[in-house]
């Protein structure tokens, strides 16, 4: 254990606790405090990099300063019977007072200069006691609306305003329902009128078609009579020539 480990304060020191439900991103904070009179570089690593987002995951801590690292657990299907094996490691090293390039500091350091602090990830769900506390608080809330003698306290002005607003909303809903019914009736009437117009149009087409057929039949009946007259004229013309 190096002397660096004794002067870097990590909170929490052992466990990173994440409180569910885990259907959304859950964030917990890790504080790194440098009480020494020298600069310290740090890196935060994890055994499950795809499950966590760490900001910042590296940096430099000035003398006497504290850095807060946010560790964000991504949503997942939590199984209470499955024990978490995820771990984090905070790696730190003293940096020269004139250091500005952290990569160079890590590259030039030897393994003996490093200090590794490991933390275990713990997943927690809300307990039944917390749920009972919420229920008790809900039950106790109506008591605040009563006076000491047991009589009901007067309604605040905001409550009466809420009632009046609710009445206005109900009236508005009734008016809208009436308008909707009226529009539905008008729409039904327009549909019926359109249906009648289409039927009338079809009837006109049928009458027109019948008239055209009858005209064709009359024309056809006139055609043979006309041919007979023309033939009679020609026969009479030829007979007249032979007689003369």
């Amino acid at each position: 254990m190096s002397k660096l480990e004794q002067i870097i304060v990590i909170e929490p020191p052992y466990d990173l606790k994440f409180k569910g439900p885990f259907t959304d991103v859950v964030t917990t904070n890790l504080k790194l405090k440098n009480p020494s009179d020298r600069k310290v570089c740090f890196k935060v690593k994890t055994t499950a990099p795809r499950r966590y987002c760490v900001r910042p995951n590296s940096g430099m801590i000035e003398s006497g300063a504290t850095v807060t690292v946010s560790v964000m657990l991504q949503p997942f299907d939590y199984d209470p019977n499955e024990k978490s094996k995820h771990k984090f490691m905070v790696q730190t090293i003293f940096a020269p007072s004139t250091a500005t390039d952290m990569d160079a500091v890590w590259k030039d350091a030897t393994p003996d200069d490093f200090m590794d602090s490991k933390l275990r990830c713990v997943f927690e769900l809300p307990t039944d006691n917390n749920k009972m506390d919420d229920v008790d608080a809900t039950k106790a809330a109506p008591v605040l609306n009563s006076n000491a003698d047991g009589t009901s306290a007067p309604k605040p002005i905001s409550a009466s305003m809420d009632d009046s607003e609710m009445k206005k909303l109900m009236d508005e809903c009734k008016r809208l329902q009436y308008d909707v019914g009226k529009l539905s009736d008008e729409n039904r009437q327009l549909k019926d009128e359109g249906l009648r117009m289409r039927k009338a149009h079809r009837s006109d087409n049928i009458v027109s078609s019948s008239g055209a057929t009858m005209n064709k039949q009359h024309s056809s009946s006139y055609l043979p009579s006309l041919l007979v007259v023309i033939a009679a004229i020609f026969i009479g013309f030829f007979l007249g020539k032979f007689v003369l």
Side-chain angles (χ1 to χ4, degrees):
M1 183 181 299
S2 66
K3 60 180 180 180
L4 181 62
E5 186 175 1
Q6 300 174 3
I7 59 176
I8 292 296
V9 180
I10 300 176
E11 296 180 4
Y14 305 112
D15 296 335
L16 277 178
K17 294 183 179 180
F18 298 88
K19 294 185 178 181
F22 302 100
T23 56
D24 201 354
V25 176
V26 179
T27 302
T28 188
N29 291 327
L30 178 66
K31 292 184 178 180
L32 307 179
K33 184 178 180 180
N34 177 19
S36 70
D37 56 356
R38 300 174 60 183
K39 292 181 179 179
V40 173
C41 294
F42 73 91
K43 287 183 179 180
V44 181
K45 300 180 180 180
T46 179
T47 57
R50 294 184 179 180
R51 299 285 296 275
Y52 299 90
C53 181
V54 182
R55 293 291 182 273
N57 58 2
S58 63
M60 186 178 296
I61 310 174
E62 296 291 338
S63 173
T66 301
V67 173
T68 300
V69 178
S70 296
V71 182
M72 290 160 276
L73 173 63
Q74 303 304 306
F76 72 103
D77 294 330
Y78 175 70
D79 184 2
N81 298 322
E82 182 180 355
K83 188 176 180 180
S84 172
K85 298 180 180 179
H86 300 169
K87 294 180 180 180
F88 274 82
M89 181 176 69
V90 180
Q91 196 171 48
T92 52
I93 186 175
F94 276 124
S97 57
T98 57
T100 56
D101 187 358
M102 290 189 299
D103 292 336
V105 174
W106 290 104
K107 184 177 180 181
D108 296 338
T110 62
D112 293 336
D113 297 329
F114 296 155
M115 189 280 293
D116 297 336
S117 297
K118 295 181 180 179
L119 297 94
R120 185 172 59 99
C121 295
V122 179
F123 301 148
E124 296 179 347
L125 284 176
T127 60
D128 294 336
N129 291 333
N130 292 337
K131 294 180 180 179
M132 290 299 295
D133 292 340
D134 294 339
V135 172
D136 293 340
T138 303
K139 290 181 179 179
V143 179
L144 298 177
N145 295 329
S146 301
N147 293 327
D149 57 358
T151 60
S152 299
K155 268 188 177 182
I157 297 176
S158 59
S160 60
M161 290 179 63
D162 292 341
D163 292 340
S164 61
E165 291 293 334
M166 182 62 68
K167 186 177 180 181
K168 290 181 180 179
L169 289 176
M170 293 296 293
D171 293 339
E172 184 68 18
C173 289
K174 290 180 180 179
R175 188 183 66 81
L176 291 175
Q177 289 176 354
Y178 174 76
D179 292 341
V180 169
K182 188 175 180 181
L183 290 174
S184 299
D185 293 338
E186 292 179 357
N187 187 29
R188 193 179 302 109
Q189 291 176 2
L190 289 174
K191 286 184 178 179
D192 295 339
E193 185 66 24
L195 183 62
R196 285 196 296 269
M197 292 179 66
R198 285 196 295 270
K199 288 182 177 179
H201 182 67
R202 289 176 182 173
S203 300
D204 293 341
N205 290 337
I206 292 172
V207 172
S208 299
S209 300
S210 300
T213 304
M214 291 178 65
N215 290 333
K216 288 181 180 179
Q217 291 176 354
H218 290 163
S219 299
S220 300
S221 62
Y222 290 151
L223 184 59
S225 300
L226 183 60
L227 292 176
V228 170
V229 172
I230 294 172
I233 293 172
F234 276 103
I235 293 172
F237 178 75
F238 285 112
L239 289 176
K241 278 189 175 185
F242 284 114
V243 172
L244 295 174

